Amino acid sequence: MFPLGSVLFPHTPLLLRIFEPRYLMMVGRLLDEEDPQFGVVLIERGHEAGGGDQRSTVGTMARVMEVQVGGEDLHVVSVGGARFTVDRWLDDDPHPRAETTILPPLTWDDALTPLWNEAERIVRRVLARAAEFGPTRWDADIELSDEPLESIWQLAAIAPLGEFDQYTLLRATTAGGLLREIIDLTLEIEPLLTAPPVEPAD
């Protein structure tokens, strides 16, 4: 398990620079496996380094795609897979571990296509507007998958939201519910992202 200060969504990339000994050991063990994967959960309180954090109970599996070896660290490229719930945390020695249950994937219905199109339009519009006021993590023109469910999760990832709003999206139980949450949360945060800077008082 790898607790992080950010949410990993299915079908989205994750790039990590790993330098803590416990995670270097974890990756070393993973590379001995035929299909190396690890779980990613959001840290709700605390810090990524050093332990002692409070962790969320829903996370996403990350499949290791590439590992680059540095002088004293590793650069790991992975991609989000299935979601899971944490049933029980185990001892963090030698690295965080947990017993988990894989969640069923969302199902798609073509009747959701108009909602899908609306969600993509709103996320791209808000990203473009937000970029006028400051840097954004994702470009408004970023290419997404043509496959509906992959695209929806990618929309959740690029929506300009904070970690706890993203965690709300990660816990979605239906594709329609996820799309509505993406729309509602993106529209809710739009005024904050597009407000002109406040001029200091004289």
Side-chain angles (χ1 to χ4, degrees):
M1 298 291 287
F2 205 125
L4 287 176
S6 56
V7 172
L8 175 64
F9 289 100
H11 308 292
T12 61
L14 174 66
L15 282 67
L16 292 173
R17 172 180 169 264
I18 296 177
F19 55 90
E20 279 194 79
R22 56 182 178 160
Y23 292 120
L24 292 171
M25 178 185 295
M26 184 184 80
V27 172
R29 289 181 171 180
L30 286 175
L31 293 180
D32 290 334
E33 299 181 7
E34 186 173 331
D35 182 21
Q37 297 188 59
F38 58 93
V40 174
V41 291
L42 175 67
I43 295 174
E44 296 181 343
R45 288 192 182 89
H47 304 282
E48 292 181 2
D53 46 58
Q54 181 176 324
R55 304 158 184 171
S56 61
T57 56
V58 176
T60 305
M61 296 302 298
R63 173 171 281 110
V64 177
M65 309 300 290
E66 182 181 347
V67 176
Q68 298 176 353
V69 180
E72 297 180 351
D73 56 16
L74 297 175
H75 294 264
V76 178
V77 179
S78 55
V79 63
R83 295 177 301 154
F84 61 83
T85 58
V86 175
D87 301 322
R88 184 168 72 96
W89 283 99
L90 306 175
D91 190 351
D92 272 9
D93 186 18
H95 52 73
R97 298 171 301 143
E99 295 175 354
T100 62
T101 298
I102 296 296
L103 291 170
L106 302 183
T107 56
W108 176 251
D109 185 330
D110 285 341
L112 293 171
T113 299
L115 195 61
W116 174 27
N117 292 334
E118 181 185 5
E120 182 170 355
R121 178 182 60 80
I122 288 172
V123 168
R124 291 190 185 278
R125 175 179 62 78
V126 174
L127 274 174
R129 288 200 63 204
E132 298 173 7
F133 293 85
T136 56
R137 182 181 178 191
W138 301 98
D139 189 272
D141 297 324
I142 188 171
E143 185 175 346
L144 304 179
S145 173
D146 293 328
E147 199 282 320
L149 289 175
E150 291 183 10
S151 173
I152 292 171
W153 283 121
Q154 291 166 356
L155 271 180
I158 70 170
L161 303 173
E163 290 83 6
F164 291 106
D165 283 342
Q166 288 187 324
Y167 183 59
T168 296
L169 299 180
L170 185 67
R171 295 164 58 197
T173 56
T174 65
L178 175 57
L179 286 167
R180 292 182 187 93
E181 287 276 22
I182 291 172
I183 291 171
D184 291 347
L185 291 172
T186 302
L187 290 176
E188 185 178 309
I189 203 169
E190 181 179 12
L192 298 177
L193 297 173
T194 57
V198 177
E199 296 293 335
D202 293 333

